[in-house]
Amino acid sequence: MSTAMPFDAGTTLLSEVTAAVRTAGVTLRDRFTSHARGVSLDEVVGEIHANDDAVLEVLREPLLRARPGSQWAEDELAGGALPPGEWWVVDPAEGNINHVHGMEDWAVTATLVRDNQPVLTVVHLPLTGDTYTAVAGGGARLNDRPLKVSAKTDLGAALIGTGQAKPGEDERTFRRIGDSVTAMLINGLVVRVSVPATMQLIHVAAGRMDAFWQFSDVRSGLVAGALLVSEAGGTVTDLTGAPWNTGSRDFLAAAPGLHGAALKVLSSTA
């Protein structure tokens, strides 16, 4: 992934977006329980939609107001290129399935995408209070601390991650995930398979994990982490090695010393 030029967020946009996402995080945190909610599929889906609706009610208007002329990408599970211009790609409950099952890996994310490149992002973890931010050309931070990706160069020493992007993907994608996990288990140290993508990508940006890949173009799970990783010094491409953008069909974010080796392993499972 590359950005043609640094993004001028001005002095207030990042702070306004951060405030809006943190406020939305309070709403999502207040809905959290330590036990699972819903038994049938319909009940689980209902809980997921209720989380989304509650958070979007307090998040959408502040974001649109903060960036006049910006547009809203409605479907959080959609993929592919967006029309030209600036778009908010938001996941009101990234890791929603974890939230409704009483697990703690979830967040609120908001990313401004300009001409299919993420240029500003905020990821807030309401249970810990941590906030990850990045602006194109301005670096990535956890709260006030700069982030830097792993310095590893040996794939055999790497902690690598992947995960399912959404329910109901085609069988070929599921089989490709399985084949790629096997290949990475053989070539890497440990493979972590979990959801959501953003919760793994913040670890790549912080140097806690070394790489993450996904066979999917679901924008909302990738744009925030893509910007965080690239601004922390990582390499973000598709699985042909071309720079990643929202029109890319698949995704790899890695420490630069491991990217080539990871790409070689994954290309064998295409």
Side-chain angles (χ1 to χ4, degrees), residues 17-267:
V17 175
T18 300
V21 173
R22 285 175 173 166
T23 298
V26 173
T27 297
L28 190 59
R29 185 188 66 204
D30 289 346
R31 297 182 59 81
F32 180 66
T33 64
S34 58
H35 61 271
R37 308 190 306 280
V39 176
S40 70
L41 177 59
D42 285 346
E43 290 170 343
V44 171
V45 170
E47 292 285 349
I48 287 171
H49 287 326
N51 280 346
D52 284 343
D53 292 345
V55 175
L56 287 174
E57 185 175 353
V58 299
L59 183 58
R60 178 173 176 147
E61 290 307 318
L63 291 180
L64 290 170
R65 188 169 57 247
R67 192 67 174 175
S70 61
Q71 302 176 79
W72 193 269
E74 292 288 348
D75 185 355
E76 70 184 65
L77 293 179
L82 289 160
E86 293 187 345
W87 293 80
W88 289 108
V89 176
V90 171
D91 198 320
E94 169 71 328
N96 212 339
I97 193 68
N98 295 337
H99 187 287
V100 303
H101 283 87
M103 300 179 186
E104 298 182 355
D105 284 351
W106 46 269
V108 180
T109 78
T111 304
L112 185 65
V113 175
R114 172 189 280 177
D115 297 335
N116 288 300
Q117 294 282 1
V119 293
L120 179 149
T121 194
V122 176
V123 177
H124 179 59
L125 282 57
L127 290 183
T128 65
D130 284 335
T131 304
Y132 293 77
T133 61
V135 175
R141 288 174 172 76
L142 165 55
N143 303 324
D144 294 324
R145 178 173 64 83
L147 295 176
K148 186 173 179 58
V149 296
S150 165
K152 288 181 185 175
T153 58
D154 177 9
L155 189 62
L159 171 58
I160 314 155
T162 192
Q164 180 180 349
K166 61 181 179 180
E169 294 192 81
D170 61 272
E171 182 178 346
R172 179 181 179 276
T173 298
F174 290 146
R175 291 189 180 280
R176 195 178 179 199
I177 291 171
D179 290 344
S180 66
V181 168
T182 299
M184 279 296 191
L185 286 168
I186 293 168
N187 289 276
L189 179 62
V190 171
V191 176
R192 184 184 188 200
V193 181
S194 66
V195 294
T198 302
M199 298 301 286
Q200 297 197 63
L201 285 164
I202 60 175
H203 293 312
V204 177
R208 306 181 198 110
M209 288 177 61
D210 304 300
F212 173 86
W213 83 95
Q214 193 170 85
F215 300 118
S216 170
D217 62 353
V218 175
R219 294 186 220 103
S220 64
L222 299 175
V223 288
L227 186 59
L228 283 163
V229 172
S230 63
E231 288 298 319
T235 303
V236 183
T237 69
D238 66 17
L239 293 179
T240 71
W244 182 86
N245 61 55
T246 58
S248 301
R249 295 179 58 187
D250 39 38
F251 180 89
L252 173 63
L258 296 172
H259 180 268
L263 191 63
K264 183 177 180 180
V265 170
L266 293 169
S267 65

